[in-house]
């Protein structure tokens, strides 16, 4: 019998990433990650442009100039400049990022591949439903229709479809609460610490 134990993630401090109820006046989607091509940043921007309506698309994250997979600054700004609903906030510290989470309605990371996306779990802890690509790592954090929506990686059309499903739901609070619940039950620091303790003892 195998004695391997799978411990998911590094743990999320659910006291720092507190849950809040959101009132949906206008809908805001937030992407937060390093601005790498394989995090799905281009798909996020193109899907945003394809959405008609009074939505906002917030991008938080820095350029990683030394990484060949980083999106080029000039290209990035050209892509977003044609749509005033796409807003670039730059690279943020934790406090400011949490404020952005509280002002948003959905967290989006259409990544091509992922470990366990810590930032998605932090967003979920605040009650953000998740829109993530259906790839290992991401799909450990989201169950379609339960606490968000999945899309295919490298597929703008699939992401647009997920956006449309998101803006048409009538049970937002339920998805929001399920996001928080998942983090508390599976990924909270205390929970992870207990898993480690079981192994040591």
């Amino acid at each position: 019998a195998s004695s391997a134990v799978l411990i998911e993630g590094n743990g999320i401090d659910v006291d720092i990433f507190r849950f809040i109820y959101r009132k949906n006046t206008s809908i805001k989607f937030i992407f937060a990650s390093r601005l790498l091509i394989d995090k799905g940043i281009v798909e996020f921007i193109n899907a945003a442009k394809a959405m008609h309506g009074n939505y906002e698309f917030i991008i938080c994250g820095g350029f990683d100039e030394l990484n060949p997979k980083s999106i080029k600054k000039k290209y990035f700004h050209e892509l977003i400049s044609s749509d005033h609903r796409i807003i670039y906030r730059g690279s943020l510290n934790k406090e400011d990022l949490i404020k952005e989470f509280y002002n948003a309605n959905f967290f989006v990371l259409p990544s091509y591949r992922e470990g366990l996306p810590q930032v998605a779990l932090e967003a979920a802890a605040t009650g953000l439903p998740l829109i993530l690509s259906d790839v290992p790592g991401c799909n450990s954090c989201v169950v379609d229709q339960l606490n968000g929506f999945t899309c295919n990686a490298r597929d703008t059309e699939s992401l647009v479809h997920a956006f449309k499903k998101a803006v048409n739901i009538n049970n937002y609070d339920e998805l929001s609460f399920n996001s928080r619940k998942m983090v508390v039950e599976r990924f909270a620091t205390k929970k992870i610490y207990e898993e480690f303790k079981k192994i040591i003892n």
Side-chain angles (χ1 to χ4, degrees):
S2 166
S3 59
V5 178
L6 177 68
I7 292 179
E8 297 183 288
N10 305 323
I12 303 297
D13 190 331
V14 293
D15 298 325
I16 291 177
F17 294 92
R18 289 178 304 106
F19 176 85
I20 64 155
Y21 280 103
R22 291 163 173 83
K23 290 170 184 54
N24 288 11
T25 40
S26 68
I27 293 179
K28 291 183 184 178
F29 296 90
I30 184 169
F31 172 102
S33 173
R34 286 179 302 152
L35 302 182
L36 305 179
I37 298 292
D38 55 9
K39 296 289 184 186
I41 181 62
V42 176
E43 286 82 357
F44 177 79
I45 294 166
N46 288 335
K49 289 179 176 180
M51 287 291 286
H52 302 294
N54 182 29
Y55 310 118
E56 276 186 30
F57 300 89
I58 311 296
I59 298 172
C60 307
F63 296 91
D64 190 348
E65 303 284 3
L66 300 174
N67 190 326
K69 292 199 168 82
S70 181
I71 191 169
K72 299 286 175 276
K73 266 186 192 172
K74 188 170 179 284
Y75 177 54
F76 172 78
H77 288 294
E78 273 167 17
L79 273 183
I80 68 169
S81 64
S82 60
D83 194 328
H84 66 92
R85 301 171 308 158
I86 304 172
I87 298 152
Y88 178 50
R89 296 274 195 245
S91 189
L92 301 179
N93 62 31
K94 192 160 279 191
E95 233 167 82
D96 289 335
L97 185 59
I98 291 171
K99 281 180 198 157
E100 292 293 340
F101 286 163
Y102 287 156
N103 284 321
N105 305 100
F106 294 95
F107 176 85
V108 187
L109 188 68
S111 188
Y112 300 174
R113 68 185 74 78
E114 208 51 63
L116 195 67
Q118 184 89 357
V119 67
L121 294 174
E122 290 169 350
T126 73
L128 281 177
L130 307 174
I131 298 175
L132 307 179
S133 44
D134 188 7
V135 296
C138 286
N139 57 20
S140 299
C141 310
V142 64
V143 176
D144 199 64
Q145 312 277 350
L146 181 77
N147 69 320
F149 303 95
T150 55
C151 65
N152 300 327
R154 304 169 190 262
D155 187 340
T156 299
E157 211 170 298
S158 176
L159 183 56
V160 171
H161 186 57
F163 282 169
K164 285 181 176 167
K165 283 200 284 191
V167 300
N168 287 314
I169 55 169
N170 53 15
N171 61 337
Y172 180 86
D173 287 350
E174 199 182 311
L175 267 70
S176 173
F177 182 70
N178 287 340
S179 257
R180 169 72 178 185
K181 188 169 176 247
M182 175 204 60
V183 175
V184 170
E185 288 178 359
R186 283 177 49 206
F187 300 106
T189 311
K190 191 167 170 239
K191 179 82 185 148
I192 301 286
Y193 176 65
E194 280 164 11
E195 296 296 323
F196 276 116
K197 242 169 55 177
K198 276 185 212 164
I199 297 170
I200 297 161
N201 297 336

